């Protein structure tokens, strides 16, 4: 694997540590959450852009959770199909190539692979207060 340049390695290490070390990502052990990107937004002081990839095995699901109060989220289905329910909205299935957004502090009661036989992959991009390190918190 080529080495990242221009401080990007530091950002990747930080987000990898965040994705692996914090229980705040609210995903089941069989789901794989991979740090993709993290960087402060230069023209928005105090804000950062954070991206994570979530891979769901067949039938895989995340625990119900809430997102950071500062986090505006763009979600893009990379592969497969994801069923999602945000706040009081209706559950909806998004297929590869489709996307949705989530407002700050959103409650995510359903986030799962819509297939029992095929894997699915999601890219979640957060615009978040730089000091917010807990992107998601499981709900009880």
């Amino acid at each position: 694997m080529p080495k990242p340049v221009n401080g990007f390695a530091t950002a990747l290490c930080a987000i990898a540590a965040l994705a692996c070390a914090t229980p705040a990502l609210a995903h089941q052990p069989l789901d794989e959450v991979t740090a993709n990107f993290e960087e402060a937004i230069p023209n928005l002081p105090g804000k950062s852009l954070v991206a994570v990839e979530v891979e769901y095995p067949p039938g895989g699901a995340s625990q119900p959770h809430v997102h950071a109060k500062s986090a505006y989220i763009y979600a893009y289905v990379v592969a497969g199909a994801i069923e999602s329910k945000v706040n009081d909205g209706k559950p909806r299935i998004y297929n590869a190539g489709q996307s949705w957004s989530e407002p700050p502090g959103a409650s995510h009661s359903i986030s799962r692979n819509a297939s029992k036989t095929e894997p699915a992959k999601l890219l979640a991009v957060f615009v978040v207060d730089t000091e917010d390190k807990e992107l998601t918190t499981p709900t009880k």
Side-chain angles (χ1 to χ4, degrees):
M1 183 170 145
K3 291 183 180 180
V5 294
N6 297 337
F8 193 63
T10 303
L12 283 177
C13 289
I15 198 167
L18 174 69
C20 295
T22 181
L25 286 173
H27 295 278
Q28 296 178 356
L30 294 178
D31 294 345
E32 185 176 329
V33 179
T34 305
N36 183 285
F37 181 83
E38 179 177 25
E39 190 168 311
I41 302 172
N43 61 336
L44 292 174
K47 295 288 186 182
S48 289
L49 188 67
V50 178
V52 296
E53 295 175 3
V54 181
E55 294 186 57
Y56 293 101
S62 298
Q63 297 174 25
H65 56 275
V66 294
H67 291 291
K69 292 188 187 302
S70 70
Y72 177 79
I73 302 159
Y74 169 75
Y76 178 81
V77 180
V78 176
I82 303 286
E83 183 176 10
S84 180
K85 180 180 185 302
V86 178
N87 292 333
D88 294 329
K90 294 182 180 182
R92 181 166 171 202
I93 294 176
Y94 298 89
N95 295 296
Q98 294 183 309
S99 61
W100 70 94
S101 64
E102 300 178 21
S107 172
H108 211 159
S109 59
I110 298 173
S111 182
R112 64 178 164 227
N113 187 340
S115 172
K116 302 285 187 209
T117 60
E118 298 295 324
K121 185 174 183 179
L122 171 73
L123 177 67
V125 180
F126 294 70
V127 175
V128 64
D129 287 350
T130 301
E131 71 270 4
D132 279 349
K133 297 302 179 190
E134 293 188 22
L135 300 179
T136 64
T137 303
T139 56
K140 296 174 175 53

